Amino acid sequence: MKTKLFLSLITFLSFAANAQEKLDCTDSEKQFGKMLFERDFAKANSEWPSIKKTCLNSTESYFRLGAELLKYNIDVAPDTSKEKPVRELLELYNQFDKTFPNNHNANLVLKAMALYDNKVGSNAEIFEYLDAAFNYKKDDFNNPKALYVYFQMYYTKYTEGKSGITDDNLIEKYLAVTALSESNSIKYTDKKEEYKTLISGAKSMVFDLLTCYRLVSYAQKNFETNKTNTDWLSGITMAMSDKCASKPIFETIALQLNQLKPSSKTAFYLANYYNNTQNGTKALDYFQQSVALATSNDEKATTSYTIASILANTDKAKAREHLMVAIQNQPKNGKYFIFLANMYANSSECTANEQERKALNQLAYNTVQKAAQIEPKYAQTVANISKGYLKNRGEIAELKNKTVKIGCWINESISF
């Protein structure tokens, strides 16, 4: 009986000890987080060894808090002494992945950039981490700078000619990187401009390689293999849209992408293709789809403005319709009114006499003034443009208190 009581007591004490340890770790996490928030790094460093030993594996939060402390230690270390704290951080990321293998902390990328930013380790080591992240953890690869460094290193390997990377390999990597950048720019809107810069930088590296002839040849050779791979389809469509947007293979690829993953951009690619190949009916249909599929006011405005720019010389009525959609979705963007004023001023086909000509220039003048009113940064531009409109309008004394109707696609009445 005494033995049973003794064993029960041991079990209870063991359970209580475990509960106390968990409770201590929970409390310690709060205290440790508070130290970091208050930037009491000396105290945090003194607590860190015991936390690593006792509580580190209890939650993912401890790893992130520990990384914050170790990054500080790296920052304050002299340039000649960063190797040790950087390696300590890398070891923490290693342990993080072993303890929580399904985490989404992008530790491979973080390890690579800790080495790169602090000039520790070799390019080969950095590339190895980035390559592994790109190939096996692509969904977590959301650092624009790291993605650019990865492509830059891959491109350097290609130019050195020692790694066996072929032209097609480089094109393949370029398509994959730009497709991921495009996808991430939608997912992480706060990084949109960074991804835009990344794509521009990557494009400049391979500009000479990506001739229309080579892209068409590559696309024709690889389409069947990749026709269900939306990343590949997105990348090649984006690459070809600059130089080969009127080639039949571009239509084939864009239609396939639009079928598998319809978006404002895929519809726009098709609209642009049909516009380039003189199929106005299909072009307008896909332009409308592009605006309808846009997921934000800014995207609707930008797409509509681009459409208006394309149609301005062929269908001014439709161009203005799209411009009005842009204004509706971005009413504080002055450039739309500058564009509209220019369309009016260059529509002499809509005037039948001298009075209508003067009214047309007055309308252009009135319209362009709105740009400066809503965006003062355009004040000087508007002033310069306005002089031309007023000069072309000429004297209007004879029109005082009169209203002049302008027909055509404009269909506006101007009061003097």
Side-chain angles (χ1 to χ4, degrees), residues 202-415:
K203 186 186 296 183
S204 68
M205 282 186 231
V206 297
F207 184 82
D208 292 337
L209 175 68
L210 298 185
T211 63
C212 185
Y213 174 79
R214 185 175 271 118
L215 283 171
V216 167
S217 174
Y218 171 83
Q220 290 171 335
K221 185 168 55 177
N222 292 280
F223 173 69
E224 282 300 321
T225 306
N226 290 282
K227 65 182 181 181
T228 59
N229 181 346
T230 55
D231 286 343
W232 184 88
L233 292 168
S234 177
I236 190 64
T237 306
M238 199 186 317
M240 294 183 72
S241 66
D242 286 340
K243 303 176 181 179
C244 307
S246 60
K247 300 296 183 182
I249 185 64
F250 179 82
E251 179 192 19
T252 301
I253 294 169
L255 282 169
Q256 179 71 0
L257 178 60
N258 194 57
Q259 182 180 342
L260 295 176
K261 195 175 180 180
S263 68
S264 175
K265 185 150 282 188
T266 59
F268 182 82
Y269 286 143
L270 286 165
N272 201 30
Y273 169 79
Y274 291 120
N275 190 59
N276 288 335
T277 53
Q278 310 305 311
N279 191 332
T281 302
K282 277 192 172 183
L284 284 173
D285 181 46
Y286 279 108
F287 276 141
Q288 297 287 2
Q289 288 184 40
S290 179
V291 176
L293 288 167
T295 56
S296 69
N297 288 346
D298 286 349
E299 188 181 7
K300 284 181 185 293
T302 302
T303 302
S304 297
Y305 176 66
T306 304
I307 294 168
S309 303
I310 292 171
L311 296 177
N313 293 324
T314 56
D315 191 335
K316 289 181 179 178
K318 287 291 183 183
R320 183 172 64 171
E321 283 182 25
H322 286 287
L323 204 54
M324 290 306 176
V325 173
I327 290 171
Q328 182 182 355
N329 284 278
Q330 273 187 342
K332 298 297 184 182
N333 195 323
K335 72 179 179 181
Y336 301 151
F337 291 99
I338 294 174
F339 187 90
L340 181 58
N342 185 61
M343 280 181 59
Y344 287 145
N346 288 281
S347 297
S348 58
E349 71 276 7
C350 292
T351 62
N353 54 53
E354 185 66 9
Q355 286 190 351
E356 290 181 6
R357 185 192 64 77
K358 290 185 176 184
L360 184 68
N361 281 283
Q362 184 66 47
L363 175 60
Y365 174 84
N366 294 345
T367 303
V368 82
Q369 298 306 308
K370 296 175 184 177
Q373 291 167 11
I374 61 176
E375 278 200 278
K377 71 178 183 179
Y378 286 118
Q380 189 57 54
T381 300
V382 168
N384 293 336
I385 294 172
S386 296
K387 290 177 184 177
Y389 295 155
L390 293 177
K391 182 179 179 181
N392 291 335
R393 184 201 66 185
E395 293 297 326
I396 55 171
E398 79 279 9
L399 294 175
K400 188 175 181 181
N401 298 324
K402 288 186 178 181
T403 298
V404 179
K405 171 86 178 206
I406 305 172
C408 197
W409 65 270
I410 296 175
N411 196 30
E412 294 275 355
S413 294
I414 312 303
S415 297

Side-chain angles (χ1 to χ4, degrees), residues 101-120:
N102 296 320
N103 75 78
H104 296 286
N105 202 54
N107 290 321
L108 287 167
V109 174
L110 292 174
K111 285 191 280 189
M113 296 314 287
L115 293 167
Y116 180 85
D117 290 336
N118 294 288
K119 298 179 175 60
V120 173

